[in-house]
Amino acid sequence: MESFQGQGNSLVETEYNFNDENLESGKYLYILKQVDFNGDYSFSEKIFVEIKSETAIVIFYSTENKIITLSSPEVHEIVLSIYDLNGKEIFKNQNCTTNSNLRITEDFSPGFYIIQAESKGQFFNQKILIK
């Protein structure tokens, strides 16, 4: 929630700006509330905004080939990490791009892991099972 000091009575149009930063992909609803100095208030019409991520990354892991496939509408440089369920990083590759395949040569113990792809400050996770 953000508040701005009013300008009082004026014949000159006044603009107020607000930048809602670090939003994730999704739909957001905004309503403006104007409060007069005497306490009276009114609401604006509802404003719906949809944020579509250009960096959305889909992660697929092939258990047969030990290959991670990273796909996205656009090509992005990413940092790829694999974590065990305790949060310990057990693999990291900083030289990946989307729309590519990465063969994992390390042998992991059977269990669940989290593959994380980070691009432009956004994180995309995929849980995998290694048998």
Side-chain angles (χ1 to χ4, degrees):
M1 175 115 81
E2 186 71 26
S3 296
F4 298 94
Q5 185 64 34
Q7 298 296 315
N9 292 331
S10 175
L11 297 176
V12 178
E13 185 176 308
T14 303
E15 289 187 17
Y16 300 91
N17 295 301
F18 175 71
N19 187 13
D20 201 355
E21 297 181 359
N22 301 319
L23 293 176
E24 299 204 7
S25 297
K27 295 180 181 180
Y28 295 87
L29 167 67
Y30 293 90
I31 301 173
L32 303 178
K33 179 180 180 182
Q34 177 180 326
V35 180
D36 295 336
F37 290 121
N38 67 3
D40 292 344
Y41 61 89
S42 61
F43 292 98
S44 71
E45 293 183 25
K46 295 177 181 177
I47 301 168
F48 291 94
V49 177
E50 182 174 5
I51 305 295
K52 294 182 179 179
S53 175
E54 296 175 0
T55 59
I57 298 170
V58 176
I59 303 168
F60 177 76
Y61 178 71
S62 169
T63 55
E64 292 179 17
N65 310 7
K66 296 172 105 180
I67 292 178
I68 297 173
T69 302
L70 306 162
S71 62
S72 176
E74 297 180 10
V75 176
H76 301 282
E77 291 182 7
I78 65 166
V79 174
L80 182 83
S81 301
I82 299 177
Y83 298 91
D84 64 19
L85 290 186
N86 293 320
K88 181 181 176 188
E89 183 178 78
I90 57 174
F91 176 85
K92 187 169 191 170
N93 186 325
Q94 297 183 339
N95 300 314
C96 295
T97 60
T98 54
N99 303 329
S100 65
N101 296 323
L102 177 66
R103 180 176 297 279
I104 303 298
T105 57
E106 286 80 1
D107 287 323
F108 298 124
S109 300
F112 287 98
Y113 296 87
I114 304 292
I115 299 174
Q116 182 178 82
E118 186 269 327
S119 177
K120 297 183 179 181
Q122 292 187 317
F123 295 87
F124 303 89
N125 298 312
Q126 178 66 49
K127 190 177 192 180
I128 63 168
L129 171 64
I130 295 180
K131 297 179 180 182

